[in-house]
Amino acid sequence: MTVKILALVGSLRAGSHNRQLAEAAAKHAPAGVEVEIFEGLGDVPFYNEDIDTDGSAPAAATALRTAAEQADALLLLSPEYNGTMSAVLNNAIDWLSRPFGAGALSGKPTAVIGTAFGQYGGVWAQDEARKSAGVAGASIVEDVKLSIPGSMTRFAELHPAEDAEVVEQVAEVVGKLATNTDA
């Protein structure tokens, strides 16, 4: 049986290093584990309870919820914007937290990793993403962490999927996350 992990990337930038980190996770996932990168977070409108009604939620939000429901676990990849996670990642968590107590995140094993330009690799953003997802009902896998500092220089000419140290770390993260599922 294959463990399905849905990766949500908190950066919409085409050359995002967090996107590349998600690509590395997908490329180097251990045998029996599939990492799917969700496309379309930029199309999900800001959460608004007035538009989140039975049968008429926006298509992009419904697609996000469906993908999360079908996944065995979630891997959130967060850049650090002004000391916290990006609005796009927080918005995804907001949509996945509803309906309250029964959202797609409810009880779902979730890990947060990322890379950022600063010397700590975005740990504040990752801590905030763990907190938000946990409050939203996710089952945060606390021992699965990876913060890669200096993204702008480290990945200037080398994709994370080609960096041996990063490949090893990401494969370990994905493997540990997969062992926390019921799949």
Side-chain angles (χ1 to χ4, degrees):
M1 173 179 243
T2 300
V3 174
K4 294 182 180 184
I5 296 174
L6 181 66
L8 302 180
V9 180
S11 174
L12 302 177
R13 190 171 61 85
S16 163
H17 295 120
N18 280 285
R19 167 67 187 219
Q20 292 176 355
L21 195 58
E23 292 168 354
K27 181 176 181 178
H28 297 288
V33 180
E34 175 187 315
V35 176
E36 173 194 348
I37 301 169
F38 183 80
E39 304 293 347
L41 280 186
D43 298 328
V44 178
F46 282 115
Y47 186 79
N48 176 344
E49 198 169 358
D50 291 341
I51 63 173
D52 186 16
T53 57
D54 286 339
S56 67
T62 300
L64 172 62
R65 285 176 170 162
T66 299
E69 287 166 357
Q70 293 174 349
D72 297 308
L74 274 80
L75 179 64
L76 309 181
L77 294 100
S78 184
E80 189 165 273
Y81 294 167
N82 299 314
T84 191
M85 73 177 129
S86 67
V88 71
L89 186 57
N90 195 60
N91 188 52
I93 293 168
D94 288 346
W95 277 102
L96 294 173
S97 72
R98 305 297 177 131
F100 181 75
L105 272 179
S106 188
K108 189 79 62 172
T110 302
V112 182
I113 66 170
T115 184
F117 179 65
Q119 65 181 342
Y120 301 110
V123 293
W124 287 352
Q126 292 169 38
D127 287 345
E128 291 297 316
R130 280 184 203 91
K131 176 184 171 187
S132 182
V135 169
S139 176
I140 303 300
V141 183
E142 290 291 345
D143 66 335
V144 178
K145 296 180 180 179
L146 176 60
S147 302
I148 303 171
S151 62
M152 298 297 281
T153 52
R154 181 163 189 165
F155 304 126
E157 296 180 19
L158 186 66
H159 190 287
E162 308 305 322
D163 182 315
E165 180 183 16
V166 170
V167 165
E168 181 180 329
Q169 292 171 329
V170 168
E172 182 179 344
V173 160
V174 171
K176 281 183 179 179
L177 179 56
T179 63
N180 280 275
T181 68
D182 293 332

